[in-house]
Amino acid sequence: MKSNSSRKIGLAVAQMGPVNLADSRAAVVRRLVEMLREAAGRKADFVVFPELALTTFFPRYWMDEGEIVERFFERSMPNPEVQPLFDAARELSIGFYLGYAELTPAGRRFNTSILVDRHARIIGKYRKIHLPGHSDHKTEAPFQHLEKKYFEVGDLGFGVWDIDDVKVGMCLCNDRRWPETYRVMSLQSAELIVLGYNTPSKNIHWNEPTHLRTFHHEIVMQASAYQNAVWIGAAGKCGHEDGFHMIGGSMIVAPSGEIVARSSGEEDEVIAARIDLDLGTTFRDHVFNFARHRSPEHYRLIVERVGAGDPLPAAVLE
Ligand code: CDV
């Protein structure tokens, strides 16, 4: 990422419309390259692509693991099918974030994202930690959410990388709903958090009104950007994938909590903003001056408990 002025960069979010089961990797990568070129034309230094950007959102299908691996997982990155994206990034001198399904040489499966710099070098990797859904076959449900079947919980933690003097953290989809995600990265001085998502507009567990799916998507990122004094760039894959609908609403959120750019449709769409990283510094120096105001001795339960338990013994009042 390079900037003309010291603390401003061009950030683009490349939302994707549907990727259907029949779509080839080559066709998907052509779409990504086209959006990368558009972002570069709009003076972006960095582009955010969605979660599992190279394939349809396959955790909605109950399939044999062997078939899933064969059809949807990447054994290496970049591989020949994805190489054109890396070549275009190097040519245009633009960095990117990309989500994909990773198969390790040892046969482990992760829902993964990478940070790629403007020389097309992979400088960071994240493996999704908050895996939603289930691992059993819900035969009554209209579709599945089998992330717990197809992926292991990520083993790399929430990292932050220095990419051309900007501290960038990353996560994936459901992670954006958890306050710990952002706080662990903001405690590493993250200035920009990037993420991709696939959010079905229907909840398979209860009859959730569709508008709440978008409302919660917005509220968690707006509140988290503010509470952690970070910029957030979030790219969705959306629209009807083989008839299964996912929400759009890709956005760039400022450390003030304000949405500064937002997609308008459910197709491939590039949104962009020139973001001032010093805006985050302003919040970090004052209301969210962590060193000055945080009291971790009172936050111990956050790391000691997973689920909610009994209240702590009441303090003795004097
Ligand atoms: N891909 C995801 O992690 N999707 C979840 C769905 C299950 C709600 C999300 O949090 O958006």
Side-chain angles (χ1 to χ4, degrees), residues 181-196:
T181 298
Y182 304 89
R183 189 47 58 93
V184 169
M185 289 191 267
S186 59
L187 283 170
Q188 298 170 74
S189 304
E191 299 174 291
L192 166 64
I193 292 177
V194 290
L195 65 99

PDB file of all heavy atoms in Angstrom, residues 181-196:
ATOM      1  N   THR A 181     -12.546 -10.107  18.465  1.00  0.00           N
ATOM      2  CA  THR A 181     -11.825 -10.080  17.179  1.00  0.00           C
ATOM      3  C   THR A 181     -11.114  -8.752  16.994  1.00  0.00           C
ATOM      4  O   THR A 181      -9.918  -8.694  16.702  1.00  0.00           O
ATOM      5  CB  THR A 181     -12.845 -10.274  16.026  1.00  0.00           C
ATOM      6  OG1 THR A 181     -13.461 -11.550  16.174  1.00  0.00           O
ATOM      7  CG2 THR A 181     -12.192 -10.156  14.666  1.00  0.00           C
ATOM      8  N   TYR A 182     -11.872  -7.695  17.139  1.00  0.00           N
ATOM      9  CA  TYR A 182     -11.319  -6.360  16.862  1.00  0.00           C
ATOM     10  C   TYR A 182     -10.356  -5.930  17.964  1.00  0.00           C
ATOM     11  O   TYR A 182      -9.343  -5.316  17.707  1.00  0.00           O
ATOM     12  CB  TYR A 182     -12.443  -5.326  16.771  1.00  0.00           C
ATOM     13  CG  TYR A 182     -13.504  -5.659  15.755  1.00  0.00           C
ATOM     14  CD1 TYR A 182     -14.617  -6.420  16.102  1.00  0.00           C
ATOM     15  CD2 TYR A 182     -13.403  -5.187  14.453  1.00  0.00           C
ATOM     16  CE1 TYR A 182     -15.597  -6.711  15.181  1.00  0.00           C
ATOM     17  CE2 TYR A 182     -14.393  -5.468  13.515  1.00  0.00           C
ATOM     18  CZ  TYR A 182     -15.480  -6.239  13.894  1.00  0.00           C
ATOM     19  OH  TYR A 182     -16.452  -6.512  12.968  1.00  0.00           O
ATOM     20  N   ARG A 183     -10.706  -6.241  19.218  1.00  0.00           N
ATOM     21  CA  ARG A 183      -9.890  -5.750  20.323  1.00  0.00           C
ATOM     22  C   ARG A 183      -8.497  -6.391  20.291  1.00  0.00           C
ATOM     23  O   ARG A 183      -7.494  -5.725  20.548  1.00  0.00           O
ATOM     24  CB  ARG A 183     -10.613  -6.002  21.658  1.00  0.00           C
ATOM     25  CG  ARG A 183      -9.987  -5.354  22.887  1.00  0.00           C
ATOM     26  CD  ARG A 183      -9.615  -3.894  22.717  1.00  0.00           C
ATOM     27  NE  ARG A 183     -10.657  -2.978  22.354  1.00  0.00           N
ATOM     28  CZ  ARG A 183     -11.417  -2.256  23.171  1.00  0.00           C
ATOM     29  NH1 ARG A 183     -11.260  -2.347  24.460  1.00  0.00           N
ATOM     30  NH2 ARG A 183     -12.312  -1.416  22.693  1.00  0.00           N
ATOM     31  N   VAL A 184      -8.453  -7.683  19.953  1.00  0.00           N
ATOM     32  CA  VAL A 184      -7.134  -8.333  19.873  1.00  0.00           C
ATOM     33  C   VAL A 184      -6.287  -7.659  18.792  1.00  0.00           C
ATOM     34  O   VAL A 184      -5.077  -7.474  18.957  1.00  0.00           O
ATOM     35  CB  VAL A 184      -7.289  -9.854  19.617  1.00  0.00           C
ATOM     36  CG1 VAL A 184      -5.951 -10.495  19.273  1.00  0.00           C
ATOM     37  CG2 VAL A 184      -7.881 -10.538  20.842  1.00  0.00           C
ATOM     38  N   MET A 185      -6.914  -7.229  17.724  1.00  0.00           N
ATOM     39  CA  MET A 185      -6.140  -6.559  16.660  1.00  0.00           C
ATOM     40  C   MET A 185      -5.841  -5.110  17.015  1.00  0.00           C
ATOM     41  O   MET A 185      -4.752  -4.603  16.729  1.00  0.00           O
ATOM     42  CB  MET A 185      -6.870  -6.670  15.329  1.00  0.00           C
ATOM     43  CG  MET A 185      -6.846  -8.090  14.787  1.00  0.00           C
ATOM     44  SD  MET A 185      -7.422  -8.216  13.095  1.00  0.00           S
ATOM     45  CE  MET A 185      -9.141  -8.567  13.348  1.00  0.00           C
ATOM     46  N   SER A 186      -6.775  -4.421  17.654  1.00  0.00           N
ATOM     47  CA  SER A 186      -6.488  -3.019  17.982  1.00  0.00           C
ATOM     48  C   SER A 186      -5.432  -2.939  19.089  1.00  0.00           C
ATOM     49  O   SER A 186      -4.680  -1.967  19.162  1.00  0.00           O
ATOM     50  CB  SER A 186      -7.757  -2.241  18.340  1.00  0.00           C
ATOM     51  OG  SER A 186      -8.409  -2.814  19.439  1.00  0.00           O
ATOM     52  N   LEU A 187      -5.323  -3.993  19.921  1.00  0.00           N
ATOM     53  CA  LEU A 187      -4.237  -4.014  20.914  1.00  0.00           C
ATOM     54  C   LEU A 187      -2.873  -4.253  20.255  1.00  0.00           C
ATOM     55  O   LEU A 187      -1.844  -4.109  20.891  1.00  0.00           O
ATOM     56  CB  LEU A 187      -4.510  -5.072  21.984  1.00  0.00           C
ATOM     57  CG  LEU A 187      -5.553  -4.657  23.033  1.00  0.00           C
ATOM     58  CD1 LEU A 187      -5.959  -5.848  23.910  1.00  0.00           C
ATOM     59  CD2 LEU A 187      -5.041  -3.508  23.907  1.00  0.00           C
ATOM     60  N   GLN A 188      -2.893  -4.612  18.979  1.00  0.00           N
ATOM     61  CA  GLN A 188      -1.644  -4.707  18.207  1.00  0.00           C
ATOM     62  C   GLN A 188      -1.510  -3.486  17.287  1.00  0.00           C
ATOM     63  O   GLN A 188      -0.827  -3.517  16.281  1.00  0.00           O
ATOM     64  CB  GLN A 188      -1.630  -5.981  17.373  1.00  0.00           C
ATOM     65  CG  GLN A 188      -1.693  -7.263  18.201  1.00  0.00           C
ATOM     66  CD  GLN A 188      -1.914  -8.486  17.318  1.00  0.00           C
ATOM     67  OE1 GLN A 188      -1.011  -8.934  16.624  1.00  0.00           O
ATOM     68  NE2 GLN A 188      -3.131  -9.012  17.319  1.00  0.00           N
ATOM     69  N   SER A 189      -2.265  -2.446  17.609  1.00  0.00           N
ATOM     70  CA  SER A 189      -2.205  -1.162  16.895  1.00  0.00           C
ATOM     71  C   SER A 189      -2.717  -1.219  15.458  1.00  0.00           C
ATOM     72  O   SER A 189      -2.277  -0.439  14.605  1.00  0.00           O
ATOM     73  CB  SER A 189      -0.777  -0.593  16.905  1.00  0.00           C
ATOM     74  OG  SER A 189      -0.317  -0.479  18.225  1.00  0.00           O
ATOM     75  N   ALA A 190      -3.647  -2.134  15.190  1.00  0.00           N
ATOM     76  CA  ALA A 190      -4.247  -2.164  13.851  1.00  0.00           C
ATOM     77  C   ALA A 190      -4.890  -0.816  13.540  1.00  0.00           C
ATOM     78  O   ALA A 190      -5.502  -0.193  14.413  1.00  0.00           O
ATOM     79  CB  ALA A 190      -5.298  -3.268  13.772  1.00  0.00           C
ATOM     80  N   GLU A 191      -4.721  -0.374  12.310  1.00  0.00           N
ATOM     81  CA  GLU A 191      -5.356   0.877  11.863  1.00  0.00           C
ATOM     82  C   GLU A 191      -6.490   0.595  10.879  1.00  0.00           C
ATOM     83  O   GLU A 191      -7.410   1.391  10.726  1.00  0.00           O
ATOM     84  CB  GLU A 191      -4.324   1.759  11.155  1.00  0.00           C
ATOM     85  CG  GLU A 191      -3.173   2.160  12.043  1.00  0.00           C
ATOM     86  CD  GLU A 191      -2.114   2.890  11.263  1.00  0.00           C
ATOM     87  OE1 GLU A 191      -1.443   2.253  10.428  1.00  0.00           O
ATOM     88  OE2 GLU A 191      -1.965   4.105  11.474  1.00  0.00           O
ATOM     89  N   LEU A 192      -6.352  -0.536  10.202  1.00  0.00           N
ATOM     90  CA  LEU A 192      -7.337  -0.930   9.187  1.00  0.00           C
ATOM     91  C   LEU A 192      -7.599  -2.420   9.358  1.00  0.00           C
ATOM     92  O   LEU A 192      -6.652  -3.215   9.436  1.00  0.00           O
ATOM     93  CB  LEU A 192      -6.757  -0.646   7.791  1.00  0.00           C
ATOM     94  CG  LEU A 192      -7.472  -1.268   6.590  1.00  0.00           C
ATOM     95  CD1 LEU A 192      -8.894  -0.711   6.448  1.00  0.00           C
ATOM     96  CD2 LEU A 192      -6.678  -1.016   5.304  1.00  0.00           C
ATOM     97  N   ILE A 193      -8.869  -2.797   9.450  1.00  0.00           N
ATOM     98  CA  ILE A 193      -9.230  -4.220   9.517  1.00  0.00           C
ATOM     99  C   ILE A 193     -10.041  -4.552   8.277  1.00  0.00           C
ATOM    100  O   ILE A 193     -11.003  -3.849   7.949  1.00  0.00           O
ATOM    101  CB  ILE A 193     -10.001  -4.536  10.818  1.00  0.00           C
ATOM    102  CG1 ILE A 193      -9.045  -4.376  12.017  1.00  0.00           C
ATOM    103  CG2 ILE A 193     -10.584  -5.944  10.778  1.00  0.00           C
ATOM    104  CD1 ILE A 193      -9.670  -4.590  13.384  1.00  0.00           C
ATOM    105  N   VAL A 194      -9.607  -5.594   7.573  1.00  0.00           N
ATOM    106  CA  VAL A 194     -10.285  -5.963   6.330  1.00  0.00           C
ATOM    107  C   VAL A 194     -10.907  -7.346   6.496  1.00  0.00           C
ATOM    108  O   VAL A 194     -10.345  -8.209   7.193  1.00  0.00           O
ATOM    109  CB  VAL A 194      -9.318  -5.910   5.125  1.00  0.00           C
ATOM    110  CG1 VAL A 194      -8.962  -4.470   4.810  1.00  0.00           C
ATOM    111  CG2 VAL A 194      -8.045  -6.722   5.370  1.00  0.00           C
ATOM    112  N   LEU A 195     -12.039  -7.543   5.846  1.00  0.00           N
ATOM    113  CA  LEU A 195     -12.742  -8.821   5.993  1.00  0.00           C
ATOM    114  C   LEU A 195     -13.655  -9.079   4.802  1.00  0.00           C
ATOM    115  O   LEU A 195     -14.134  -8.151   4.146  1.00  0.00           O
ATOM    116  CB  LEU A 195     -13.553  -8.831   7.296  1.00  0.00           C
ATOM    117  CG  LEU A 195     -14.720  -7.861   7.438  1.00  0.00           C
ATOM    118  CD1 LEU A 195     -16.049  -8.548   7.138  1.00  0.00           C
ATOM    119  CD2 LEU A 195     -14.757  -7.267   8.840  1.00  0.00           C
ATOM    120  N   GLY A 196     -13.851 -10.357   4.551  1.00  0.00           N
ATOM    121  CA  GLY A 196     -14.816 -10.770   3.533  1.00  0.00           C
ATOM    122  C   GLY A 196     -15.921 -11.558   4.199  1.00  0.00           C
ATOM    123  O   GLY A 196     -15.724 -12.127   5.282  1.00  0.00           O
TER     124      GLY A 196
END
